[in-house]
Amino acid sequence: MSRETFEDDVKNCNLELTHIEEGITDQTLQEIDRRFGQADVLSIENAKSHVRTLRLLALFGTLITLTFLIYDEWEMHLLIVDVILMIVLLIFIYKYADKHEFHKKYVQYRLLAESLRLQYYLSVAGIEKNVSELLPWFVEIGSTYWIKDMLRKLDIKTDVRKDILEYWIEDQYNYHHNANVRLKVKQKREKLITNILIAITVTTYFIALCFELYMTTVPSGELHHNMLQGILHTFQQHTIMLGYEPTDMIRATLKIIVGTMSAGTLFIGSYYGKMSLNDVIKDHRRMEELYYKFEIKAKNNNNVLSKKDILKLAQEYVIENSIWYAYQNKNEPDLTIE
């Protein structure tokens, strides 16, 4: 990526920009806020596209497995056409996301936005230090070099001063606290969905075991049940499972359920894994504790932080953003066909 890519995306973006603060009149702060709004909005939109891609890949990956199992076990031969079409669609979704760089833009624009947010805080704190000097070395190499270059060229001097305790520390503490609560709800929902899929899979295995044990008690080796015979007859009228006995129909159906649930667990697990909820929750918890620490330190010093403390807080801010970037950068979509 490059700054030219960012500027092109800005030109093509018709969304309302977000703001660090409303009603800014200082030109220096206006420019920092404007750049923040551009990076923030673009990061959010690309994040949505990235998550949508992950969901579609998980959905179609599971559907491909289900459709193939029905094709194989129920002998619905024409379903192989649907399988091929869904594989083509899956590849198209993956290639489309890769071409538009949703994931890369999401993480890099977020890195830029958070750096600009920090620069804004430092400027209104009266710290004339460019945030580019605090960024880790990896930002200077590879596809992120443009971020540091862009930050380095910012005008950061302003006469505007803000109460850092209220304006920065308490505000960010509340943000991370609320985000932590919100993400824990998502995490519970993730565990619930995963547990439901696992429960269905285990239950199906248990039903299969009970069925096979029952079949050992049937002298003829066949299951005589009028309802199942009726269902099988209906299926065979539609050229499904031709030549199957009721026992074969049940075994085939159990295989389809087990195979689909196993694939669903795999794909959904991959989706949630790339959301990195556990890591994000840990990040918010660490930041919450960090801001609480500096809040106490400020209150013990007449609500004032020294320049050294502010720079220490800024450095920790950069470290946490770098950690977030490091693990999120690994969460690009994968093309998996089971």
Side-chain angles (χ1 to χ4, degrees), residues 9 46 95-105:
D9 285 347
N46 280 282
K95 292 293 185 180
Y96 183 84
D98 184 59
K99 178 182 178 181
H100 289 81
E101 298 184 310
F102 294 137
H103 173 259
K104 185 177 290 186
K105 289 179 179 179

Side-chain angles (χ1 to χ4, degrees), residues 47-279:
K48 290 178 181 177
S49 298
H50 171 60
V51 171
R52 191 181 304 118
T53 299
L54 295 178
R55 287 175 178 169
L56 289 173
L57 291 177
L59 173 63
F60 281 103
T62 304
L63 286 177
I64 288 170
T65 302
L66 170 61
T67 308
F68 182 81
L69 287 171
I70 293 175
Y71 151 79
D72 183 48
E73 297 295 338
W74 284 4
E75 297 188 355
M76 297 177 66
H77 299 150
L78 290 179
L79 277 183
I80 193 63
V81 176
D82 297 312
V83 172
I84 298 300
L85 289 175
M86 282 192 286
I87 289 175
V88 171
L89 182 58
L90 190 74
I91 294 172
F92 172 79
I93 292 170
Y94 173 78
K95 292 293 185 180
Y96 183 84
D98 184 59
K99 178 182 178 181
H100 289 81
E101 298 184 310
F102 294 137
H103 173 259
K104 185 177 290 186
K105 289 179 179 179
Y106 155 50
V107 295
Q108 291 198 16
Y109 292 168
R110 177 50 49 197
L111 184 63
L112 173 60
E114 294 307 318
S115 299
L116 287 162
R117 190 200 303 271
L118 177 58
Q119 184 64 74
Y120 192 96
Y121 289 148
L122 289 176
S123 293
V124 297
I127 307 295
E128 293 185 3
K129 189 175 188 66
N130 193 293
V131 72
S132 64
E133 300 174 29
L134 301 174
L135 294 178
W137 67 271
F138 74 81
V139 181
E140 297 187 42
I141 62 176
S143 62
T144 55
Y145 75 94
W146 66 275
I147 296 176
K148 189 164 188 174
D149 184 61
M150 183 174 175
L151 293 169
R152 190 184 292 117
K153 295 175 181 178
L154 282 174
D155 180 11
I156 63 172
K157 295 181 180 180
T158 177
D159 294 328
V160 177
R161 295 292 177 266
K162 298 284 184 178
D163 181 354
I164 292 303
L165 177 60
E166 178 183 357
Y167 185 72
W168 178 4
I169 297 175
E170 291 180 349
D171 177 73
Q172 286 295 294
Y173 171 84
N174 291 331
Y175 165 75
H176 288 289
H177 175 76
N178 294 333
N180 212 5
V181 173
R182 186 176 64 255
L183 287 175
K184 283 181 178 179
V185 173
K186 282 188 178 181
Q187 188 181 46
K188 288 182 180 178
R189 185 167 63 243
E190 168 198 334
K191 290 181 179 179
L192 177 62
I193 293 172
T194 303
N195 289 336
I196 288 174
L197 291 175
I198 293 173
I200 293 173
T201 304
V202 172
T203 301
T204 307
Y205 276 116
F206 182 74
I207 291 172
L209 173 63
C210 293
F211 173 73
E212 296 300 338
L213 291 174
Y214 172 74
M215 288 306 299
T216 62
T217 66
V218 181
S220 64
E222 295 181 0
L223 183 64
H224 300 285
H225 196 297
N226 291 332
M227 182 182 72
L228 290 178
Q229 290 284 10
I231 294 173
L232 182 58
H233 178 67
T234 302
F235 275 26
Q236 290 177 343
Q237 282 183 325
H238 293 83
T239 67
I240 299 173
M241 292 192 286
L242 293 174
Y244 275 46
E245 296 295 331
T247 52
D248 299 323
M249 179 185 72
I250 293 174
R251 288 191 178 101
T253 303
L254 289 172
K255 288 178 184 178
I256 292 171
I257 295 173
V258 169
T260 303
M261 290 301 104
S262 297
T265 303
L266 174 66
F267 286 115
I268 291 176
S270 175
Y271 163 72
Y272 281 122
K274 290 184 180 299
M275 296 298 289
S276 298
L277 282 179
N278 287 334
D279 291 324

Side-chain angles (χ1 to χ4, degrees), residues 282-330:
K282 289 177 183 177
D283 282 351
H284 284 301
R285 188 181 301 122
R286 283 197 301 269
M287 292 302 289
E288 187 179 343
E289 292 173 357
L290 175 69
Y291 282 114
Y292 179 74
K293 172 186 174 182
F294 277 91
E295 180 182 359
I296 296 301
K297 194 166 189 177
K299 288 181 177 179
N300 290 335
N301 190 36
N302 297 319
N303 295 339
V304 175
L305 282 178
S306 66
K307 179 179 178 180
K308 180 180 178 181
D309 286 335
I310 294 174
L311 287 174
K312 173 64 176 174
L313 178 57
Q315 189 64 65
E316 293 296 333
Y317 188 107
V318 168
I319 290 172
E320 289 300 326
N321 284 333
S322 301
I323 293 172
W324 176 88
Y325 178 84
Y327 67 73
Q328 288 289 358
N329 202 39
K330 300 176 182 178

